[in-house]
Amino acid sequence: AQRVTQPEKLLSVFKGAPVELKCNYSYSGSPELFWYVQYSRQRLQLLLRHISRESIKGFTADLNKGETSFHLKKPFAQEEDSAMYYCALSPSSNTGKLIFGQGTTLQVKP
Amino acid sequence: DVKVTQSSRYLVKRTGEKVFLECVQDMDHENMFWYRQDPGLGLRLIYFSYDVKMKEKGDIPEGYSVSREKKERFSLILESASTNQTSMYLCASSQQGMPQHFGDGTRLSIL
């Protein structure tokens, strides 16, 4: 079965601390993986996708096919990083369909 | 910049009513999607469409239908609204092979 699991509902860290938001997936083929973010009162927006191999707002994510993971990391959290983060998997690039995880709320305390 | 517009930010309806949620995108995207977003459950796909008049069921289509008569517009229909359909509804669109762009969402309350 195709599934995305984000084991933490809430992750709370202090400003300046490292952040790692966990994402594990179950998929038999070659997945395309994404992280989306939703700041308070804003629309859901793309943060990064694994094929781009970019760093956006200091965040990076590496696809680990052996561990079927796509964890989101940032070395030094900022208060403006507080948001809801969703990991998503695309089983087919033709339809653009996405399977989302349950989401993790990141709370960065001053 | 891609614009996905949902017709209402907040909507209150009564049980048994037929409810229409509208979504319009301005970038000529082939694909359009309807999700519902619930705490602890993430986003769950209701229906999607990859072309005009084409539609496919997502993971939770029961109690919903959709219409796509024009490329830019994708409507979600609650045939007979029930209280368990109270939720945040998100519309998204995408070009083939590209990430999805989302609207602001419609918070629907069924009383």
Side-chain angles (χ1 to χ4, degrees), chain B residues 45 102 110:
Chain B
L45 182 64
F102 285 82
I110 307 296

Side-chain angles (χ1 to χ4, degrees), chain B residues 3 9 13 23-24 27 47 52 58-59 61 77 85 105 111:
Chain B
K3 188 72 174 174
R9 288 299 300 270
K13 296 291 182 181
C23 176
V24 176
M27 285 301 290
Y47 267 97
V52 175
D59 300 317
I77 304 154
Q85 293 178 309
L111 304 178

Side-chain angles (χ1 to χ4, degrees), chain A residues 9 32 34 36 38 41-46 49 84 86 93-103, chain B residues 2-4 31 33 35 37 40-43 45 48 50 59 90 94 96-100 102-104:
Chain A
K9 281 190 176 179
E32 184 171 4
F34 304 83
Y36 279 81
Q38 189 170 30
R41 297 188 179 85
Q42 294 187 27
R43 63 181 60 190
L44 194 63
Q45 58 188 282
L46 177 70
R49 59 193 297 197
M84 173 71 86
Y86 290 99
S93 60
N94 285 338
T95 63
K97 182 181 171 183
L98 289 174
I99 299 167
F100 282 86
Q102 304 92 324
Chain B
V2 177
K3 188 72 174 174
V4 179
N31 306 323
F33 309 83
Y35 297 89
Q37 182 183 30
L41 297 177
L43 275 72
L45 182 64
F48 67 103
Y50 52 88
D59 300 317
L90 298 183
S94 73
Q96 280 195 9
M98 299 300 288
Q100 293 183 17
F102 285 82
D104 288 325

